[in-house]
Amino acid sequence: MMNRRFLARDLTKVERVRSSALEREQLFRRRSAASASSAVAIDVLAEEGESLRRSTAQVDDIMESGRTIIGSLATQRERLKATHRNALSMINTLGVSNSVMRLIQSREKHDRYIVFAGMALTLLVFYACVRYASSGSSAHRGSVETLHPMGPPPS
């Protein structure tokens, strides 16, 4: 029984060595065939060069597209600035004074502070709830078990 296992193991080792030797032989044949045929090597290099040229052209197209997008964003920014200026001039034309405009802007600033304070307060309340729930769960567990009419729940 023991000999059969050793023979089977040795047989698999021999098969692995043969298959690796066969693979090695095939790889060397491919390599020697490739090096023997310089025309094939030149064709491969030409294909690589053409692929590199196509890749370079694609990168150039992508870069040009990026430049176009950035240019259009800058144009849109200028257009929005001009619209804002026109809106302010219309408001001034309608009779809204600068003091009212400053009041609106300061109110906007105060509203922002109120929003941030509300967010911070909400986070603190959430933290306190989580803290209370995690620390209080073990303390409340004992009192619930003692109040249970059938005794503690089975584990």
Side-chain angles (χ1 to χ4, degrees), residues 1-14:
M1 186 79 158
M2 220 40 175
N3 287 335
R4 283 187 181 181
R5 277 194 296 175
F6 287 125
L7 288 175
R9 191 175 55 193
D10 287 342
L11 183 61
T12 57
K13 284 183 183 177
V14 168

Side-chain angles (χ1 to χ4, degrees), residues 61-82:
D61 290 344
I62 290 170
M63 293 294 289
E64 185 61 33
S65 173
R67 286 186 197 103
T68 304
I69 290 169
I70 288 174
S72 69
L73 286 174
T75 304
Q76 287 177 7
R77 181 174 184 244
E78 292 302 320
R79 198 173 295 151
L80 285 173
K81 278 183 177 180

Side-chain angles (χ1 to χ4, degrees), residues 118-131:
M119 284 192 263
L121 182 65
T122 304
L123 286 176
L124 285 174
V125 168
F126 284 160
Y127 176 74
C129 289
V130 169
R131 181 91 171 178

Side-chain angles (χ1 to χ4, degrees), residues 11-24:
L11 183 61
T12 57
K13 284 183 183 177
V14 168
E15 287 175 1
R16 272 191 251 141
V17 168
R18 271 192 196 153
S19 66
S20 65
L22 183 62
E23 288 176 16
R24 194 176 321 116

Side-chain angles (χ1 to χ4, degrees), residues 15-84:
E15 287 175 1
R16 272 191 251 141
V17 168
R18 271 192 196 153
S19 66
S20 65
L22 183 62
E23 288 176 16
R24 194 176 321 116
E25 174 100 17
Q26 289 173 350
L27 288 173
F28 281 132
R29 273 195 219 135
R30 279 191 225 155
R31 188 172 182 177
S32 64
S35 64
S37 172
S38 62
V40 172
I42 291 172
D43 288 343
V44 168
L45 289 175
E47 287 176 20
E48 287 177 2
E50 184 61 31
S51 175
L52 184 61
R53 279 189 284 281
R54 284 193 307 264
S55 298
T56 303
Q58 288 176 350
V59 168
D60 289 341
D61 290 344
I62 290 170
M63 293 294 289
E64 185 61 33
S65 173
R67 286 186 197 103
T68 304
I69 290 169
I70 288 174
S72 69
L73 286 174
T75 304
Q76 287 177 7
R77 181 174 184 244
E78 292 302 320
R79 198 173 295 151
L80 285 173
K81 278 183 177 180
T83 304
H84 184 255

